Amino acid sequence: MNITSLIDTNTICLDLKAQTKEQVLAELVDVLADAGKLFNKQQFLQDIWNREQIGNTGFEEGIAIPHAKSSAVKQPAVVIGISRHGIDYGAEDGELSDVFFMLASPDDNDHHHIEVLAQLSSKLIEEDFVRQLKEAASAEDVMALLLATEKVQSAEASLSTHSVAIEPPSAVKVQLARAKEHLLFGTSHMIPFIVAGGVLLSLSVMISGHGAMPKEGILADVAQMGLAGLTLFTVVLGGYIAYSIADKPGLAPGMIGSWVAVSQYDTGFLGAIIVGFVAGFTVSALKKIRLPDSMSALSAIFIYPLIGTFVACGTVMWLIGEPIADAMASLNHWLAGLAGSGKILMGTVLGAMTAFDMGGPINKVATLFAQTQVNTQPWLMGGVGIAICTPPLGMALATVLAPKKFKQDEREAGKAAGIMGMIGISEGAIPFAAADPARVIPAVVAGGIVGNVIGFMFHVLNHAPWGGWIVLPVIDGKLGYIVGTAFGALTTAVIVIALKKTVSEESDKNSTVTHCGSVEGEGEADVLAVTSCPSGVAHTFLAAKSLEKAAYSLGIKIKVETQGANGINNRITALDVRRAKYVIFAHDVAIKEPERFKNIKIIDVCTKDAMLSACTILQSTR
């Protein structure tokens, strides 16, 4: 939706009478009500104030953008108000505010709210826009200014042959994408628990020399450490899904509800996921209820967690607990009974999914399924652990067997892919898939299937929720694991060699490893970027590197902040935001501290888009 469609002469006031912040908010809300944009004027005013309590919306250079999503909004709208004397709005720079944009958005449309804020922010950083707005003599002059800037932007876009036409997604797609973000947010916090717990428990069993958990001594203590991790991971999964939806008030309901589901009803990870969403949406709904001022201070630490926990636990105990437990028992019984052709079919499906997008969403579904069954069905992880490492190992092997099929930089990437494959990181094959998806993806899928099926046929048991040869110490059936890895990697290598053409000598000579990187100083970058993925490892840094290489080739100075497993690196500062014109969010989970970027235009993509189409994304910032 274009921001100019939300403004008309009835929602423009060039001479505000208000003297205080309270008065200016009330006056702007009156303009909205008089224009017929609201169902309930008082309710919307209260929602505006609730938003102000979260954080003051007064910014530098005399600009304020009060905004709220509210069920009191009949029709999306933007009010523009100009104060000729200035108002103490509480801006951080201490200056008086004289230019006001009030945004009114329906409560059921988050995408619209963010889109309008982004469009407005892009206008405010245009040269002379605010000055011309203040000098406007009439509402008609303001409309003419807005339409003029739109025409200039449209003309610039039409002159660029590389511009990206971004069609707003449907409401269903938006909701599904948001649900996936919540799930991956929970998964990203869960992974360290199952990895640490699974490896410690498996090591204690392996070192003991018996096929059972040690009962005494240091090894028994190590086993208990592992059990703690494997006990807590479902609680963390449910809790952080709820946290992603409803922020901190959702954490306790999500964790407590998940604990009840898993410990009392044995629902497993599926129950934790469902409870996480129930708790999160419950608390999110509670936060929309307007409470008396006397109760507002208690809401986040008492009311929301208390009611949310009761609803989440009650839902488990009285509605979904037993049905989910029965479904999980049936699933485990079916998996345990698979043999022969059943295992071949299962290995084919899991192997293809694990290898297909090399650490992406489809891979995560398959690996999460196997990881969460590692206690009861370790043979699943036996096959999936092989399929995890065959894509990078297969591509590394291909560069060794047929070096003339690959450019110099690809041969260098093959060395890194081999190392990543050995330690169980599928993403090592992504640079090859990004450069030649039509040939590489079928090859890695075939290799994943072969490796996974061999692992199942050799009855390999992997007691660690990870892949690659790094987990060999905790593998039962090491020979089968090695054979599966070798044949899976060889399958990938043979197919990709057969499909790829020999690289010409001239092309190979022109191929060099680009030495590029991210700007590290403050206020130097033209474009900013933040990358983040569920595990905080491979996709986070591969997306960052792709953006850096593309920026180097286009002559763009870029600063990339990575939000990975080891925290935030190369942090983007307020000075960076003021200097740059765009920020690229390349993420599969929620970005941390997004409020830093409220005054800059945002390009929102997933990490896969950044890895495969970095040049196209960056060209859209010109």
Side-chain angles (χ1 to χ4, degrees), residues 165-177:
I166 302 175
E167 183 178 347
S170 65
V172 173
K173 287 184 178 179
V174 169
Q175 294 302 323
L176 288 175

Side-chain angles (χ1 to χ4, degrees), residues 188 191 364 532-541 562-567 589:
S188 67
I191 288 174
K364 288 292 187 290
S532 181
C533 71
S535 63
V537 185
H539 276 67
T540 297
F541 298 100
T562 55
Q563 297 185 356
N566 58 344
V589 294

Side-chain angles (χ1 to χ4, degrees), residues 231-521:
T231 301
L232 288 172
F233 86 82
T234 49
V235 175
V236 172
L237 175 62
Y240 277 93
I241 289 174
Y243 180 94
S244 180
I245 297 170
D247 212 344
K248 290 181 182 179
L251 192 58
M255 285 190 166
I256 297 172
S258 297
W259 174 259
V260 170
V262 175
S263 64
Q264 295 187 22
Y265 293 89
D266 199 22
T267 61
F269 75 97
L270 181 60
I273 290 173
I274 294 173
V275 171
F277 279 102
V278 170
F281 287 128
T282 298
V283 175
S284 180
L286 290 172
K287 290 169 70 176
K288 295 177 182 179
I289 299 174
R290 198 170 345 117
L291 299 174
D293 293 341
S294 59
M295 299 178 66
S296 295
L298 294 174
S299 58
I301 62 173
F302 180 74
I303 298 173
Y304 300 149
L306 176 64
I307 299 176
T309 300
F310 177 80
V311 172
C313 292
T315 301
V316 173
M317 293 175 174
W318 304 317
L319 292 176
I320 66 174
E322 292 185 3
I324 295 176
D326 292 341
M328 290 299 295
S330 299
L331 175 62
N332 283 328
H333 180 72
W334 174 68
L335 290 172
L338 281 176
S341 60
K343 278 193 173 182
I344 292 176
L345 176 61
M346 176 67 76
T348 299
V349 173
L350 287 179
M353 292 177 66
T354 301
F356 177 72
D357 57 354
M358 295 151 280
I362 297 175
N363 167 283
K364 288 292 187 290
V365 171
T367 55
L368 181 63
F369 175 70
Q371 286 171 334
T372 52
Q373 304 290 323
V374 74
N375 269 349
T376 55
Q377 311 290 344
W379 60 271
L380 286 170
M381 203 63 222
V384 169
I386 295 172
I388 285 172
C389 64
T390 52
L393 289 179
M395 295 309 303
L397 182 61
T399 61
V400 173
L401 296 178
K404 293 184 178 180
K405 298 272 188 172
F406 299 91
K407 298 177 183 179
Q408 176 61 33
D409 58 343
E410 290 178 319
R411 294 197 291 271
E412 293 296 327
K415 299 174 184 178
I419 297 172
M420 294 176 77
M422 294 298 286
I423 61 176
I425 299 179
S426 301
E427 287 88 342
I430 286 177
F432 300 95
D436 194 1
R439 295 179 176 89
V440 173
I441 291 178
V444 299
V445 168
I449 291 173
V450 169
N452 205 321
V453 170
I454 290 176
F456 282 1
M457 292 298 97
F458 274 76
H459 307 290
V460 174
L461 304 181
N462 181 0
H463 299 285
W466 204 255
W469 283 17
I470 195 174
V471 298
L472 273 175
V474 296
I475 295 291
D476 292 340
K478 292 180 176 60
L479 177 61
Y481 195 85
I482 293 172
V483 170
T485 304
F487 274 89
L490 184 60
T491 300
T492 292
V494 169
I495 293 175
V496 82
I497 289 171
L499 294 176
K500 285 183 75 70
K501 298 178 181 178
T502 300
V503 176
S504 65
E505 291 185 9
E506 182 179 352
S507 175
D508 193 26
K509 288 178 182 178
N510 292 334
S511 175
T512 58
V513 178
T514 303
H515 296 283
C516 56
S518 170
V519 171
E520 295 184 357

Side-chain angles (χ1 to χ4, degrees), residues 194-204 222 226 230 463-466 471 474:
I194 60 174
V195 172
V199 171
L200 287 172
L201 180 60
S202 301
L203 284 173
S204 68
V222 174
L230 293 177
H463 299 285
W466 204 255
V471 298
V474 296

Side-chain angles (χ1 to χ4, degrees), residues 89-111:
Y89 196 85
E92 291 184 1
D93 60 2
E95 297 294 326
L96 298 180
S97 300
D98 54 2
V99 178
F100 300 88
F101 297 87
M102 178 174 280
L103 279 60
S105 298
D107 193 34
D108 59 351
N109 197 331
D110 288 345
H111 177 75

Side-chain angles (χ1 to χ4, degrees), residues 39-231:
F39 289 116
N40 187 316
K41 180 172 70 173
Q42 293 303 320
Q43 180 184 338
F44 182 69
L45 181 58
Q46 181 60 49
D47 290 337
I48 284 286
W49 274 109
N50 291 341
R51 171 60 186 84
E52 289 296 316
Q53 290 173 2
I54 296 174
N56 193 295
T57 56
F59 306 111
E60 297 178 353
E61 300 180 5
I63 298 169
I65 312 178
H67 55 276
K69 294 176 291 183
S70 172
S71 58
V73 176
K74 181 190 301 184
Q75 183 180 350
V78 176
V79 176
I80 298 178
I82 304 294
S83 172
R84 300 303 177 185
H85 48 75
I87 294 170
D88 184 1
Y89 196 85
E92 291 184 1
D93 60 2
E95 297 294 326
L96 298 180
S97 300
D98 54 2
V99 178
F100 300 88
F101 297 87
M102 178 174 280
L103 279 60
S105 298
D107 193 34
D108 59 351
N109 197 331
D110 288 345
H111 177 75
H112 161 265
H113 193 66
I114 295 171
E115 182 183 350
V116 173
L117 281 170
Q119 289 187 40
L120 179 58
S121 298
S122 68
K123 287 186 178 297
L124 293 176
I125 62 176
E126 291 174 13
E127 188 176 0
D128 288 338
F129 175 78
V130 174
R131 179 186 60 79
Q132 293 179 51
L133 184 63
K134 292 179 182 179
E135 294 175 354
S138 66
E140 289 74 14
D141 289 345
V142 173
M143 291 301 301
L145 173 63
L146 291 169
L147 292 171
T149 57
E150 289 299 326
K151 290 178 180 178
V152 169
Q153 290 174 348
S154 298
E156 290 175 348
S158 64
L159 288 173
S160 172
T161 59
H162 302 289
S163 62
V164 179
I166 302 175
E167 183 178 347
S170 65
V172 173
K173 287 184 178 179
V174 169
Q175 294 302 323
L176 288 175
R178 190 170 293 115
K180 186 182 80 170
E181 276 197 8
H182 298 321
L183 176 59
L184 292 179
F185 187 83
T187 303
S188 67
H189 288 81
M190 174 200 76
I191 288 174
F193 287 80
I194 60 174
V195 172
V199 171
L200 287 172
L201 180 60
S202 301
L203 284 173
S204 68
V205 173
M206 181 194 69
I207 296 172
S208 71
H210 304 288
M213 195 173 72
K215 300 295 184 182
E216 57 185 18
I218 295 178
L219 290 180
D221 294 336
V222 174
Q224 289 300 319
M225 298 175 194
L227 282 176
L230 293 177
T231 301

